[in-house]
Amino acid sequence: MALNASLIRLLFCLPAACIAAEPLECRWTEETIVIDGNANEPAWKTAAVIDDFAQPWLKDRTNKPEHTKVRLLWDREWLYFQAEMDDADVWADIKTNDGDLWKNDVFELFLRPSAKHAGYYEFEFNAAGALYDAFLADAKAFLAPDPQKSGKFHLDAKVVIDGTLNERGDVDHGWRVEGKLPWTDLLPTGGRPAPGEVWGVNLARINYDRDKKDPALSSVAPLTEPSFHRTEEYSSIKFVGPAMSRPPQWKNERLRGSPDGPSKYAPVRVWPKLPSRAPVALASVPGTKWMWLSDQYGGWDTPSTLWKFKADGDGGDAVSILTPGEVVYCVEFHPRFAENGFVYLGVNGPKTGGGGNASRAVRYTVRDGIPDPSSRTIIIEWASNGHNGAALAFGGDGMLYVTSGDGSGDMDADNMGQNPKTLRAKVLRIDVDHPDQGRNYSVPKDNPFVSDSRFVPETWAYGLRNPWRLSYDKTSGQLWLGENGNDLWEMARLVQRGANYGWSRYEGAHDFLQNRVLGPTPVTFPTIEQPHSEFRSLTGGFVYRGKVLPELTGAYLYGDFVSGRLRAAKHDGTRVEWDKELIDTPFSLSIIGPDADGEIVLADYGAPGWGAQVIGALYALRPAPPAAPAPPFPPLLSETGLFGNAVALTPGAGVHPYEVASQGWHDGATGQHHLALPEGSGPVDWVMSKSWTPANGTALAQTLTLEGRRIETRVLLRQQNDWAGYSYVWNEAQTDAALAPKAGSDMTVAGRPWRVPSRAECLFCHSKQANFDLTLHEFQLNAGDQLRKFEAMGLVQVDSAAYERERASREHRSLPEQEKNQRASAVSTLLPRAPERLRRFAKPDEASAPLAWRARSYLAVNCAHCHTLYGGGNSAFDFDWLLTDDAMHAFNQVPQHGDIGISGAHVIRPGDPQHSVLIPRVTMRGPFQMPPAGTLIPDSIGLSVLVEWIAGLKSSK
């Protein structure tokens, strides 16, 4: 049997005007639907029955088509359909998919996801179980002589016949088809609908009868011609979502501001149109209004781009002036730049001829405002594969001071710190204006060790780990150096002639590797020292001589890359007169330097390459505008408004208790969590990578209980796009908790030591690179039925298409691309998938979970916030839970923090826990412990999981 030519022409005609009608309904289901053709799950009884199949294009409608009944359901991942068709003569002789199914008895489902976009889908099912599926960019596609099928689909359908197929002499009762279609197949048009969204739909049928020449066509759409492709005339269908009950929101009336009061200073974005993404070095061109910026993107070792832009502009005039193929750490202009055009760069890059990296001071001649690449001249260089130094500063004597680090990973692996015969681990002083024959500098005759054969004569000072920034103050003659510490301390030094700064026998003023032999001169301890409870990676700055902030005149500015804190210290040449915090910023402070007018510029390095793509920027420090009057920061937990009854931990209105899939280790304490979303905030955006970012004003609370006694309630508060951490310590009577001091405290609980973290310590784990809130994400919140409850309250919203694409990318699967000029994805409060098909962390003692996932979950919960890209872990490996094992860079990797006395150690040595430094790091407590903060007692259960996991890994031997 076949359709005649005139009918074929009508089937493929062009769209006409749309006729409005009451939308059909596709209702929500939470029930699992088994595709067996029977549709006997209770969910089908809740579906709307669509049975108004007709032939609206006919003037004579007395001849009714045989009865058809269709039901549609949907959930987070699937569209379900079920059609029942009365048919006395079931006919289908095409058995292969994608054939001319319209020559058989067929049921057809057409979907047009948007009335504003022409794309639509056709799905056909014949009585023999053959399928046809296609995406059509518009209804004209069938006008082509040989239309091409488009799209890849994963339909699951089952046909059941009540009668006999293709037996023309008997009488059948009918046939039915049940099926489901994944929303990801519809990603060319944005994928899944949002609850309440209305699409176009046509449910249609072609029915052949042995007694009739032509087939009977019927449709639920009010078609004016017998064409199932008249998309403008499709019926509308509404996707009815699950029931929602939005809870009240938290009226935060007290938990605002800071216990320290408002800051006197504020960062103000400058040069907002700069193409910079990760600023590394900034300098003003002498005698001009031009600035130069070294910018990096993609990782610590990514080569820099040098940009030039107007100091008084917005950065939109920036031009790239040099791409040297190296990291440019420093830009320093010659004191007589106007005469000679010399600029010096401190760089690190591949050695000439290969074999590791080298740090260098290189000189360029600037011509027409741009460094001439052909003028590149290496002044001095040394091998360096980490802790590279390469900071430069001209002194008042015209000499060039150059820093070098110990040139290796942590722990001074090459034992360079106290070695006087190497250029490494030093401040070097050279004369670039009077070079010796055969090299591009000379050694000044007044260098402190120029006549001491034990030293390289370039030495001005030595015993440095990782100098980060060097600056000379012309007014005072002070030469300041910032230095990164290793395990416990960060330093800033007023550099002295001939000083030995002690590394690696000392870290700052404290014993470090006591078996290291000191150099030949006494040790000089730091001018300024900050513990790791306050600073984690010190960024050196400069002595301020600007006009905007006169109270800081003559003070040395320095900050912390990890916590974002900026401080200033006034030194009178003999002692530090004062040292105070100026502002706690949300920045990864990579630059603290002057602009062309000597005013303070702060650079946020951002988080280049990280999943959230946080981009860095430049800011000026200015006086803060007057703050609006605010109530005092609550000194007691009961006054925060988080709890209606603090003693019972009864949540306040709009505060939600929540569970986590796997608790972090808190020395045996258990945690209760609460989330307070502020009034006026919308749902929290669900993202794949890292944690989510709730609205400003959000508070997270974690109450820690040990042996039946509450110890602390730790609170994270988000304000002005930044987070701060506070601890409330419970009293002995357990009636309330008081705000802990800024520096934290040490106490004894149940006969064991306990550390209440400082506010800076809170943010070492709750860091910018970890996106601060460590529990608001899929892997931790997917506990029990919690996510369904969040969904029902509308607390989260998700772009399911973006979610599926990112997940597929990480799992190395391909999904259909978004088609141009078609409906885009919808954001809704539905979960991206059913919770049982979302991911979650496993508890260490969760025996039903695979051992490998328990181990990776443990590392994710307890270690990944630091050991991730730019997380402050100071190691090459990465414990991000979204990475594959190989991508962690931990297996068979030599540890950068030393071998802890283990011969032949690796971070993780598969099959060999005894030679894996991860194990002793987790076991020990003290300077080398991991995690370095927040715990004083090792976790025996977690340790046993890690040991068993490593032992079971396949050895690479």
Side-chain angles (χ1 to χ4, degrees), residues 335-655:
R336 298 194 309 277
F337 172 75
E339 301 171 27
N340 57 32
F342 290 162
V343 64
Y344 296 79
L345 307 182
V347 303
N348 182 265
K351 284 183 182 177
T352 302
N357 281 4
S359 287
R360 308 174 180 92
V362 298
R363 185 186 69 210
Y364 288 85
T365 301
V366 178
R367 310 185 198 280
D368 297 324
I370 296 175
D372 180 359
S374 68
S375 69
R376 175 185 166 94
T377 303
I378 297 176
I379 304 300
I380 188 171
E381 67 179 329
W382 60 95
S384 189
N385 281 303
H387 301 169
N388 296 320
L392 313 175
F394 278 101
D397 52 9
M399 300 299 108
L400 182 63
Y401 293 81
V402 182
T403 68
S404 61
D406 62 30
S408 62
D410 290 341
M411 310 283 289
D412 192 9
D414 297 337
N415 198 8
M416 291 288 114
Q418 293 296 300
N419 183 348
K421 291 186 175 295
T422 174
L423 292 178
R424 286 155 69 171
K426 293 177 174 59
V427 176
L428 309 171
R429 180 174 179 259
I430 59 177
D431 184 346
V432 294
D433 292 332
H434 305 91
D436 291 335
Q437 187 173 2
R439 63 181 178 181
N440 295 314
Y441 70 91
S442 63
V443 175
K445 297 189 184 322
D446 59 345
N447 271 9
F449 304 110
V450 71
S451 301
D452 191 332
S453 61
R454 296 172 297 177
F455 286 82
V456 291
E458 294 88 346
T459 304
W460 184 256
Y462 70 106
L464 296 171
R465 177 181 180 269
N466 188 27
W468 184 244
R469 302 304 186 203
L470 183 71
S471 66
Y472 175 75
D473 177 45
K474 295 178 181 179
T475 301
S476 65
Q478 294 176 348
L479 183 66
W480 280 96
L481 172 79
E483 185 183 6
N484 299 148
N486 198 94
D487 279 345
L488 295 174
W489 298 93
E490 300 293 311
M491 293 75 66
R493 305 183 189 274
L494 185 54
V495 179
Q496 300 179 31
R497 181 181 188 273
N500 175 8
Y501 291 120
W503 177 254
S504 54
R505 170 61 179 79
Y506 290 91
E507 181 187 31
H510 309 271
D511 286 334
F512 189 67
L513 299 178
Q514 298 184 35
N515 61 340
R516 290 282 166 94
V517 177
L518 281 170
T521 61
V523 172
T524 298
F525 291 143
T527 310
I528 296 170
E529 195 171 42
Q530 292 290 349
H532 272 191
S533 59
E534 296 298 317
F535 269 45
R536 286 292 293 275
S537 180
L538 189 142
T539 295
F542 73 109
V543 175
Y544 176 70
R545 301 288 176 185
K547 297 179 180 179
V548 173
L549 304 172
E551 70 278 13
L552 300 180
T553 299
Y556 175 66
L557 301 169
Y558 68 99
D560 183 38
F561 181 86
V562 176
S563 70
R565 285 172 165 78
L566 178 70
R567 297 183 67 91
K570 186 71 174 290
H571 196 287
D572 64 4
T574 303
R575 64 181 181 86
V576 175
E577 295 180 319
W578 52 261
D579 183 0
K580 62 185 179 183
E581 182 176 306
L582 302 182
I583 187 173
D584 181 0
T585 76
F587 307 148
S588 297
L589 289 173
S590 57
I591 301 172
I592 303 166
D595 65 10
D597 297 321
E599 301 302 337
I600 300 167
V601 176
L602 308 176
D604 178 12
Y605 188 74
W610 173 49
Q613 298 295 305
V614 178
I615 305 301
L618 296 169
Y619 298 82
L621 191 70
R622 296 289 185 261
F633 197 85
L636 297 174
L637 183 65
S638 60
E639 297 175 356
T640 62
L642 291 171
F643 301 100
N645 183 323
V647 175
L649 286 187
T650 304
V655 178

Side-chain angles (χ1 to χ4, degrees), residues 174-194:
W175 63 288
R176 56 187 182 271
V177 59
E178 181 185 27
K180 65 178 182 179
L181 171 73
W183 292 120
T184 50
D185 283 355
L186 274 55
L187 285 176
T189 55
R192 187 180 75 185

Side-chain angles (χ1 to χ4, degrees), residues 171-337:
V171 177
D172 303 318
H173 295 285
W175 63 288
R176 56 187 182 271
V177 59
E178 181 185 27
K180 65 178 182 179
L181 171 73
W183 292 120
T184 50
D185 283 355
L186 274 55
L187 285 176
T189 55
R192 187 180 75 185
E197 190 172 350
V198 175
W199 287 14
V201 66
N202 186 17
L203 307 172
R205 179 182 175 185
I206 300 176
N207 182 37
Y208 285 86
D209 192 291
R210 59 179 172 265
D211 298 326
K212 295 179 181 179
K213 178 182 178 182
D214 294 321
L217 309 182
S218 57
S219 167
V220 298
L223 305 176
T224 57
E225 298 288 347
S227 169
F228 297 157
H229 295 272
R230 299 179 68 83
T231 57
E232 297 299 320
E233 296 179 346
Y234 280 2
S235 297
S236 57
I237 188 163
K238 182 177 182 179
F239 292 91
V240 180
M244 285 185 59
S245 176
R246 293 190 181 275
Q249 291 185 312
W250 181 46
K251 293 183 179 180
N252 182 7
E253 298 174 341
R254 286 293 310 275
L255 197 58
R256 300 176 183 175
S258 163
D260 304 319
S263 173
K264 292 175 57 179
Y265 306 98
V268 178
R269 181 81 181 270
V270 289
W271 306 301
K273 295 184 180 180
L274 268 176
S276 167
R277 300 214 262 184
V280 178
L282 180 71
S284 57
V285 183
T288 76
K289 283 292 184 178
W290 288 98
M291 303 292 294
W292 283 15
L293 176 73
S294 168
D295 181 63
Q296 196 180 21
Y297 191 74
W300 299 119
D301 301 326
T302 304
S304 298
T305 298
L306 207 59
W307 296 90
K308 169 186 173 181
F309 57 96
K310 287 281 185 66
D312 55 359
D314 59 8
D317 55 2
V319 293
S320 171
I321 57 175
L322 188 68
T323 52
E326 301 163 297
V327 182
V328 178
Y329 292 127
C330 182
V331 178
E332 181 77 359
F333 291 92
H334 193 281
R336 298 194 309 277
F337 172 75

Side-chain angles (χ1 to χ4, degrees), residues 107-169:
F107 165 71
E108 297 191 69
L109 168 63
F110 296 84
L111 292 170
R112 183 181 178 184
S114 169
K116 297 179 180 179
H117 304 89
Y120 69 111
Y121 299 87
E122 176 184 6
F123 304 105
E124 291 186 47
F125 312 88
N126 77 356
L131 312 176
Y132 179 89
D133 45 41
F135 168 70
L136 303 163
D138 54 48
K140 297 178 182 179
F142 271 117
L143 289 178
D146 184 21
Q148 297 296 309
K149 172 179 161 59
S150 174
K152 184 177 181 180
F153 301 91
H154 303 84
L155 281 161
D156 179 13
K158 177 69 174 177
V159 170
V160 175
I161 297 173
D162 188 3
T164 56
L165 180 64
N166 299 337
E167 290 289 339
R168 312 316 300 265

